[in-house]
Amino acid sequence: NSRLLGVFFIFLFLPQCQTLTIPTPPPPETGMVDMDFATQQFAAKRYDVAEFYLKKTLVLLPDNLKALNLLGWSYFFQNRFDKALVAFQRAHSLNSKKPDPVIGMAWSYFSLKYYEKALETFEEAQKLSADPFQINKGKGFTYLKLDRKSVV
């Protein structure tokens, strides 16, 4: 009798077990495979390779904020500050409440020697509750470049 009851429970729960699905990675056409690879390359400081795969991601996902922000930093670390600035501005236009692109814009202005604009942009990032270390470091370097040592 208990054996019959056990078999009954197996058949009762078997359909539920069959409906379980194992998650599969997204297909390559979603762009996430390229994004993951770009992130790995960026972490390995292979910024040119990261740039290539971030651009591939953005072809399929043009409004991907993470990819745009990372593309900006890829340009930045290759000393292509003008392109970095454009990427950060595009990311900021997609979501003006995120502080990360604003910090990238500020550092790009700084690197392009637009110190007054960099200072304004660091102030804007501060209003968005960005990382205080990055803000204070950026403002400090900018004040030094502007020869305002009394403020630092």
Side-chain angles (χ1 to χ4, degrees):
N1 224 1
S2 64
R3 208 176 230 188
L4 184 61
L5 189 59
V7 171
F8 174 74
F9 279 115
I10 289 174
F11 284 111
L12 182 66
F13 292 109
L14 187 60
Q16 291 176 350
C17 294
Q18 289 175 342
T19 59
L20 293 177
T21 56
I22 299 170
T24 56
E29 57 272 5
T30 64
M32 293 314 294
V33 172
D34 289 331
M35 180 66 196
D36 290 342
F37 188 69
T39 304
Q40 291 170 0
Q41 296 304 302
F42 184 87
K45 299 183 181 182
R46 292 188 203 100
Y47 304 118
D48 56 336
V49 178
E51 174 192 343
F52 177 80
Y53 284 95
L54 288 165
K55 287 178 179 177
K56 278 185 67 179
T57 300
L58 289 166
V59 167
L60 297 170
L61 305 166
D63 294 339
N64 186 312
L65 194 60
K66 183 179 176 186
L68 273 169
N69 205 39
L70 205 55
L71 180 62
W73 287 114
S74 295
Y75 286 137
F76 186 88
F77 290 123
Q78 295 177 73
N79 297 326
R80 296 162 65 195
F81 307 118
D82 52 341
K83 286 187 170 251
L85 181 59
V86 171
F88 290 129
Q89 287 171 333
R90 172 119 167 74
H92 181 60
S93 72
L94 291 175
N95 189 340
S96 59
K97 296 187 188 309
K98 293 274 186 186
D100 297 336
V102 180
I103 290 175
M105 287 167 47
W107 280 113
S108 296
Y109 283 127
F110 176 86
S111 299
L112 290 166
K113 300 181 181 175
Y114 297 124
Y115 300 123
E116 291 291 340
K117 187 67 178 166
L119 201 53
E120 289 173 25
T121 312
F122 280 122
E123 294 287 341
E124 181 184 344
Q126 190 169 20
K127 291 176 190 170
L128 294 172
S129 301
D131 178 13
F133 175 75
Q134 285 293 326
I135 300 296
N136 292 329
K137 181 171 73 170
K139 287 168 66 175
F141 278 120
T142 306
Y143 284 132
L144 286 173
K145 289 292 185 176
L146 288 170
D147 203 27
R148 295 187 193 168
K149 293 179 180 123
S150 62
V151 180
V152 180

